[in-house]
Every structure is written in C-alpha cells, then in structure tokens.
Amino acid sequence: MIVRLGYVAMSMQVSNASPSKTMTATSFEKLNNRAAAIRKLERIAIENIHNTLRLLKHNRAHDIELYRCSSKLIPLRGHEMLNDWNPMEVLTEAFAELGSYAIQNAMRLSFHPDHFTVLSTPRADVLANSLADLDSHVAMLEAMGLDESAKCNIHVGGMYGDKKAASQRFIERFKALPERIRNRMTLENDDKTFTASETLEICEVTNTPMVLDIHHHEVNHEEEVADCAVLWARILQTWKGQREQGGQLELPPKIHVSSPKSEKDAKSHADFIDPVRLLAFLRSIAPLTPRLDVMIEAKKKDDALFQLMKEIAEEPDLEVLSQASFKL
C-alpha cells in the first residue's frame, strides 16, 4: 500500500503566509465607503489565495501532494450584509493560477466547510445558509479549474432529538443537491453524533465516498464496532469509480488522522500524531488497499507530518518513497 500524507490549511514553517486573513463585520460596517470596504475584502481574499499558492510551492518542495484549503479564503463570504457581493468576478485570475499550479504538480486539494454547514438541520434558515456555503465552496474549486476529484467534505450533522429523522432529512436534501455539488461531496463520521457505521450507511444510500476519521471513531462508536478496520471493505467500495484529476487513475480513498490531546481531553487534537495507533490501522487495511491518502489534522500541521515521517522511517517493514509518502 502506498500512503501519501497531507495537512490542513496552515504551515508552521512558512512565515507570514496565512490563507485565512479576514475582516470582522464590525470593521466592515465602520468603513464609510461601502465600495472601498468591498475592495478591501477583495484585496484580503487575493492575499489569502496568493498565500495558499505559496503553501503549495512549499508543499511541492517537500513532496506533499495532499492539501486541504482554508474555508476562509474569502473574508465575510456569505454574510447577510454582503448578499449582493460576487467576489468571484475579481478573484477569477487568482483562483485559476492556484488551480493550475495544483494540476501541474498533481496535487489533491479539498475543502472542509465549517461545522455550521449542516443538511440535517430542521431550521429553514440554517439549511439555506448551508446550501449557499456548499455552492460557494464548489464555485471556488470550479474557479481553480479542478475536476470532481477535488472534494468538499462534511459531517452528517446533529440529530436534533431524533437521529433517524435527522438522517432521513440529510439523505433527502443530499439527493436534491445540484449534480455539480453532489458529485464533489464526501461524508465523514463525527466525534459526537453520527458514528462511522451510521455515516457509512448514509454514504451507501447516497452513493457518496466516505472519509473515515479514525480519531472520531475511537471516541464515538458502537460497542460492537470498536475496530473501524472491520468497516474498511465497505468504505473502500464507496470510492469505486472515483477518478483522479485527468481521469487516468482511481482516486485513492482518504482518511483523517489525529491523536487525542490527553486521556481527560480525548476528543481534542494533539500537536503531533501517535504513529503506533496509525500504523496499527494501516497494517490492518493494507492487504485491501493499493493506495491511501492520509490527511493529518494535528495542531502542528506540516511539522506533525514531518515528525511522523521521521518516526515512520525507523519502521523496518516500511519503505520511505518521498518526504511525504511511504510504502507499507
């Protein structure tokens, strides 16, 4: 099994390269000239996209082909006082440059919309905002020129007192999504509500790839499914037919990896990755899995990736392939 490692949004090693610079709604309202205030938002967005490109160049120098973009590239995107603002008109060129670099260097990009983007909600206003947020994320991927292998990952959401009803609402609304959005979606188990087993069932019903979060599974699972590896054969099937950029190879399944911050705070993410837990899982699924992409969600971002590669290099049954990949 060939394993590629990636990280989320921020780099610990590249200085002054935040892709999430913003402006508060209060600061925006204090500016007397609305047109000038919008121009300022657009300048911040261009800087965020440029910093993302800087991070991709950093990634290329370290053989990192897997990266999750910040969902905060465009400040105040979706805010009610900016409903008449279409930032994509100004950001087209910057997004195109970013996407072109990713394609040229065979990088797999993704988004993970924030926790308030939920399709299982019983509230019409929350649902409307969630649908608009998904549309916005997909529009950014389209502006980058990336095909449907570039995904948006979400959780099923809350159960609102009735998990079965919430699940059914999610399925109905998911199936009603526009095809351009639905084809870019992946679903992930969470650490509070929908377990890996429950999320997998929804993925099978909606014909959607599942991103397994092994840390979430550790803190939220059915008693009879303590080992998430028993679900892997079915999870793998949800990825069948997904193609990489250009359509040449099957898109590798993706998992999320983090380690508990402490025994008392098991749900929070630690700075680095515990290689023992990760490698135990990887060894259990290797016979079924030719290729796997692992998104590191540790607090130390790319530093955690580099530290994990150092520890992996000491394993006798693993072969280091690059600065960010290995063969098991």
Side-chain angles (χ1 to χ4, degrees), residues 26-320:
T26 301
S27 296
F28 180 88
E29 289 180 317
K30 285 182 179 178
L31 296 175
N32 295 326
N33 187 321
R34 178 178 170 83
I38 289 176
R39 298 294 85 76
K40 184 173 182 178
L41 287 179
E42 291 169 347
R43 287 195 300 272
I44 295 172
I46 289 173
E47 184 177 359
N48 285 339
I49 298 168
H50 173 72
N51 282 342
T52 303
L53 181 58
R54 288 179 61 201
L55 294 178
L56 293 193
K57 292 179 178 179
H58 161 71
N59 294 350
R60 182 175 181 270
H62 293 90
D63 306 318
I64 300 170
E65 298 175 335
L66 184 66
Y67 176 75
R68 181 194 301 167
C69 298
S70 168
S71 285
K72 296 179 172 61
L73 291 177
I74 305 175
L76 297 184
R77 173 182 51 86
H79 196 284
E80 58 184 10
M81 66 182 178
L82 286 159
N83 287 335
D84 60 338
W85 176 44
N86 179 15
M88 302 308 291
E89 295 175 353
V90 175
L91 304 179
T92 298
E93 184 177 342
F95 272 124
E97 183 182 12
L98 179 62
S100 177
Y101 189 86
I103 293 169
Q104 289 171 11
N105 293 283
M107 294 178 173
R108 182 179 182 180
L109 304 189
S110 63
F111 279 117
H112 193 342
D114 291 332
H115 64 278
F116 57 77
T117 300
V118 286
L119 300 184
S120 61
T121 177
R123 291 177 50 183
D125 58 333
V126 174
L127 177 61
N129 290 337
S130 298
L131 295 174
D133 193 50
L134 290 179
D135 181 86
S136 178
H137 279 84
V138 169
M140 288 189 283
L141 293 173
E142 291 171 338
M144 292 182 211
L146 303 178
D147 68 15
E148 291 177 352
S149 64
K151 305 290 188 182
C152 289
N153 182 67
I154 61 171
H155 299 290
V156 177
M159 64 179 176
Y160 307 101
D162 188 336
K163 185 182 283 190
K164 186 176 180 180
S167 175
Q168 192 56 41
R169 279 197 303 271
F170 180 93
I171 290 170
E172 291 172 358
R173 291 163 177 174
F174 189 90
K175 288 183 174 180
L177 289 172
E179 186 177 9
R180 57 179 277 272
I181 296 178
R182 191 173 64 250
N183 289 348
R184 288 190 184 267
M185 301 302 298
T186 59
L187 306 182
E188 174 195 354
N189 57 304
D190 66 68
D191 60 356
K192 295 178 181 177
T193 310
F194 283 89
T195 65
S197 296
E198 293 164 338
T199 303
L200 176 55
E201 289 176 2
I202 292 173
C203 286
E204 291 171 335
V205 170
T206 58
N207 192 29
T208 306
M210 177 173 167
V211 173
L212 174 67
D213 189 308
I214 60 177
H215 182 188
H216 288 172
H217 180 78
E218 288 178 359
V219 298
N220 180 32
H221 63 263
E222 296 87 349
E223 185 176 345
E224 66 273 16
V225 194
D227 183 2
C228 56
V230 304
L231 301 173
W232 186 249
R234 288 170 57 197
I235 293 172
L236 205 55
Q237 281 297 121
T238 68
W239 288 91
K240 295 299 181 184
Q242 299 288 323
R243 297 290 168 182
E244 286 192 274
Q245 183 82 29
Q248 299 301 310
L249 297 171
E250 192 158 281
L251 188 64
K254 183 194 291 184
I255 67 170
H256 288 175
V257 173
S258 53
S259 297
K261 185 176 182 180
S262 66
E263 288 188 11
K264 291 185 178 180
D265 190 6
K267 291 185 178 181
S268 296
H269 294 181
D271 287 346
F272 296 95
I273 298 297
D274 176 4
V276 176
R277 294 187 184 191
L278 173 60
L279 290 174
F281 173 76
L282 295 183
R283 289 186 174 106
S284 69
I285 68 167
L288 296 175
T289 318
R291 298 163 67 217
L292 181 70
D293 285 345
V294 176
M295 182 64 72
I296 292 172
E297 295 187 319
K299 292 294 185 182
K300 289 295 185 179
K301 309 294 184 177
D302 50 347
D303 275 353
L305 186 156
F306 298 135
Q307 178 62 32
L308 180 59
M309 284 300 301
K310 288 180 182 178
E311 294 169 324
I312 281 172
E314 299 176 359
E315 295 290 322
D317 62 333
L318 302 185
E319 176 188 353
V320 173

